[in-house]
Amino acid sequence: MEGRPADRTCGHLAQARPVTPSTPEGCEECLRIGSTWVHLRACLVCGHVGCCDSSPHRHASAHAHGTPGHDLARSIEPGEDWAWCYADELLLLPS
């Protein structure tokens, strides 16, 4: 699988649930503070929408690292179909 080391697997896939992004129009925290973002990520555990690590505040990473058990997020950018495990630092592609 491209982008994913063959000798590693994600140990957090069981956390993923069917979720609806909480604020698909933007990053929850950036909307609240009037900031901007580059790309959006949705937590696959609770639906929290945060901005990517290329954004000034990196709210998706902050959510994953600050909320136990919320290690998985997917891109909600149009045309993108991938997820990321923050704990294992693995790109997850659909099979």
Side-chain angles (χ1 to χ4, degrees), residues 29 31 33 35-36 42 49 54 56 62 65 67 76 91 93:
E29 289 86 356
L31 287 168
I33 64 173
S35 188
T36 60
V49 174
S54 296
H65 296 299
T67 311
I76 58 171
L91 176 65
L93 301 172

Side-chain angles (χ1 to χ4, degrees), residues 8-93:
R8 293 180 59 204
T9 58
C10 176
H12 304 90
L13 292 177
Q15 293 176 358
R17 294 171 178 72
V19 296
T20 301
S22 58
T23 55
E25 67 277 2
C27 170
E28 290 182 32
E29 289 86 356
C30 287
L31 287 168
R32 193 170 21 258
I33 64 173
S35 188
T36 60
W37 58 85
V38 177
H39 298 290
L40 299 173
R41 310 292 179 241
C43 176
L44 288 173
V45 177
C46 70
H48 171 272
V49 174
C51 53
C52 71
D53 286 354
S54 296
S55 299
H57 298 288
R58 303 173 54 166
H59 288 123
S61 285
H63 175 76
H65 296 299
T67 311
H70 292 234
D71 301 305
L72 301 171
R74 69 174 177 90
S75 173
I76 58 171
E77 294 298 315
E80 294 186 359
D81 190 18
W82 57 269
W84 178 257
C85 177
Y86 287 95
D88 292 326
E89 297 184 345
L90 286 174
L91 176 65
L92 306 169
L93 301 172

